[in-house]
């Protein structure tokens, strides 16, 4: 059996997560991993059977045996590495966002298109069993014509101030997943955005010029409306829900929990809290997105979430930030980019 040879660029939490999942696959394996800080990385890599560890990601791009790279380095490095990887003929999986600048992302997308390689963006929620089911129901017409979409996305704890300082802001870091989910479920482009935000949880976030609480209103090209609500802190756990409402009904998704047991006594009705954080909630989604990318490369078919999807989510995030600061709605023109890998 042919094994897809993969290189991992960036050995932080997400890079190691992907490496571990790939090493469990039958038709892919990690040949090399790179990170600017490799102290102790060789021991970890050896434990997973990864033969090559390097501090220079270009070693992976120059390796003729590597067919695909996973870009899991800081966002500020993504676009440049994408362009180099495309020029080297490597297929690309890149964590979100592609960059903090729409223009920069457009240049990276153009490089991918010119090279004819495949590129998948890491919007893992598309591969979640709940959201996939909701999307399939909407697209099958079971709720009729879609009218409203509501997405609730709340973290259990805010990230550190150090993370916030380099995150690109709530809309680019957190809500970008919801912007992608909105397009994915509705299969319609967002044409207007109005955002409101506040700093209600951690004053340090406000001091860094960011918000921790937000509501974003969306208008879709198909006429439907959307609402996204975000919070950096839900004391009861990771709150991830969605409802799509249409002319013939609705579909809702609830939180995943450790169990579905519901205990009813004289003291009240109790059930388990939602799973605590994204690594628990989306374990299978992370596995499935990697499997889909590997199959797309091996079977030479389109990826499930391409470079244009990453670009459109960033455009919505930029419009939301503009709306937040201006206090006005922001309209978006369609700028879809077709990206077909070889």
């Amino acid at each position: 059996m042919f094994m897809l040879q993969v290189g991992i660029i960036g050995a932080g939490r997400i890079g190691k997560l992907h490496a571990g999942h790939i090493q469990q696959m039958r038709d892919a394996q990690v040949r090399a991993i790179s990170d600017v800080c490799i102290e102790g990385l060789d021991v970890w890599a050896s434990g997973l059977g990864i033969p090559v560890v390097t501090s220079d990601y270009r070693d992976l791009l120059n390796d003729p045996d590597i067919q695909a790279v996973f870009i899991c380095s800081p966002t500020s490095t993504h676009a440049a590495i994408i362009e180099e990887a495309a020029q080297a003929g490597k297929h690309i999986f890149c964590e979100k966002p592609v960059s903090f600048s729409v223009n920069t992302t457009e240049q990276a997308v153009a490089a991918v298109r010119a090279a004819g390689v495949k590129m998948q963006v890491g919007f893992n929620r598309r591969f979640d069993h709940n959201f996939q089911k909701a999307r399939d129901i909407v697209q099958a017409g079971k709720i009729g014509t879609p009218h409203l979409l509501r997405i609730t996305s709340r973290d259990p704890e805010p990230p550190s101030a150090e993370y916030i300082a380099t995150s690109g802001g709530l809309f680019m870091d957190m809500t970008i997943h919801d912007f992608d989910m909105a397009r994915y479920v509705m299969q319609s482009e967002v044409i207007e955005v109005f955002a409101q935000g506040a700093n209600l949880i951690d004053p340090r976030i406000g001091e860094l010029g960011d918000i921790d609480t937000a509501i974003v209103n969306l208008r879709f090209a198909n006429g439907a409306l959307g609402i996204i609500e975000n919070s950096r802190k839900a004391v009861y756990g990771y709150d991830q829900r969605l409802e799509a409402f249409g002319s013939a009904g609705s579909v809702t998704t609830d939180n995943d929990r450790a169990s579905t047991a519901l205990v009813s006594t004289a003291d009240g009705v109790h059930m388990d809290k939602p799973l605590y954080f994204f690594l628990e909630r989306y374990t299978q989604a992370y596995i499935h997105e990697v499997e889909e990318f590997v199959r797309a490369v091996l079977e030479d078919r389109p990826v499930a979430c391409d470079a244009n999807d990453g670009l459109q989510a960033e455009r919505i995030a930029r419009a939301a930030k503009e709306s937040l600061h201006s206090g006005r709605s922001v309209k978006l023109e369609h700028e879809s980019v077709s990206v077909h890998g070889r």
Side-chain angles (χ1 to χ4, degrees):
M1 177 185 295
F2 177 77
M3 297 281 286
L4 181 71
Q5 300 296 309
V6 174
I8 305 285
I9 300 174
R13 178 170 57 185
I14 197 67
K16 288 180 176 178
L17 180 75
H18 287 317
H21 291 158
I22 293 169
Q23 291 301 77
Q24 297 178 41
M25 298 180 66
R26 293 185 300 172
D27 49 5
Q29 63 183 14
V30 180
R31 176 176 172 81
I33 188 165
S34 71
D35 197 275
V36 293
C37 179
I38 62 172
E39 182 178 356
L41 184 59
D42 54 345
V43 176
W44 173 86
S46 177
L48 278 184
I50 301 172
V52 178
V53 174
T54 176
S55 61
D56 188 348
Y57 69 86
R58 292 182 178 86
D59 292 339
L60 280 60
L61 303 184
N62 293 329
D63 187 336
D65 292 327
I66 290 178
Q67 293 94 35
V69 293
F70 277 59
I71 302 175
C72 307
S73 52
T75 300
S76 59
T77 68
H78 288 180
I81 297 176
I82 287 170
E83 293 189 39
E84 291 182 55
Q87 292 168 4
K90 310 298 185 186
H91 299 294
I92 301 162
F93 181 103
C94 182
E95 279 301 325
K96 64 81 194 170
V98 175
S99 80
F100 295 136
S101 163
V102 171
N103 289 337
T104 300
T105 296
E106 288 174 339
Q107 293 174 10
V109 171
V112 170
R113 186 171 65 249
V117 298
K118 300 182 190 299
M119 177 173 160
Q120 181 170 319
V121 179
F123 284 126
N124 61 291
R125 295 183 191 177
R126 287 182 177 228
F127 303 90
D128 171 70
H129 61 115
N130 293 324
F131 296 144
Q132 278 189 328
K133 181 67 173 180
R135 187 257 190 188
D136 291 346
I137 287 171
V138 172
Q139 294 311 303
K142 294 182 179 180
I143 68 165
T145 301
H147 291 173
L148 294 169
L149 176 70
R150 177 182 290 275
I151 297 174
T152 297
S153 180
R154 303 167 183 162
D155 286 349
E157 289 286 345
S160 66
E162 291 76 19
Y163 178 87
I164 292 290
T166 60
S167 69
L170 183 138
F171 294 139
M172 192 65 74
D173 171 57
M174 179 181 178
T175 324
I176 196 167
H177 278 292
D178 306 312
F179 295 144
D180 179 68
M181 184 55 51
R183 294 181 64 247
Y184 172 69
V185 171
M186 301 298 273
Q187 289 292 288
S188 181
E189 296 294 349
V190 173
I191 61 171
E192 189 173 6
V193 179
F194 178 68
Q196 292 179 295
N199 181 221
L200 303 175
I201 297 167
D202 187 342
R204 293 177 300 173
I205 294 176
E207 291 166 5
L208 290 166
D210 199 8
I211 56 174
D212 51 37
T213 308
I215 293 178
V216 183
N217 291 286
L218 307 174
R219 185 182 298 275
F220 295 91
N222 64 6
L225 302 177
I227 302 169
I228 297 171
E229 55 171 282
N230 294 129
S231 173
R232 286 288 195 184
K233 185 175 183 179
V235 296
Y236 49 84
Y238 197 38
D239 193 355
Q240 301 281 290
R241 291 172 286 135
L242 176 150
E243 178 189 13
F245 171 82
S247 60
S250 70
V251 56
T252 62
T253 66
D254 202 353
N255 290 303
D256 275 2
R257 305 172 191 274
S259 78
T260 59
L262 186 67
V263 181
S264 302
T265 69
D267 296 327
V269 178
H270 306 277
M271 64 189 309
D272 288 340
K273 294 179 181 179
L275 296 177
Y276 186 72
F277 208 34
F278 69 94
L279 292 181
E280 299 172 80
R281 172 65 175 80
Y282 291 118
T283 297
Q284 290 303 314
Y286 279 116
I287 294 172
H288 291 161
E289 71 172 351
V290 171
E291 290 174 340
E292 281 294 312
F293 174 70
V294 170
R295 282 198 288 265
V297 173
L298 293 178
E299 299 171 12
D300 192 22
R301 56 179 173 81
V303 296
C305 183
D306 66 18
N308 178 63
D309 292 315
L311 174 61
Q312 298 309 321
E314 286 179 35
R315 293 182 66 241
I316 302 169
R318 182 182 67 174
K321 186 174 182 179
E322 181 181 341
S323 174
L324 176 70
H325 292 305
S326 69
R328 298 188 298 270
S329 64
V330 175
K331 293 185 178 180
L332 293 86
E333 297 180 0
H334 293 293
E335 296 177 12
S336 181
V337 178
S338 177
V339 183
H340 298 287
R342 67 184 179 201

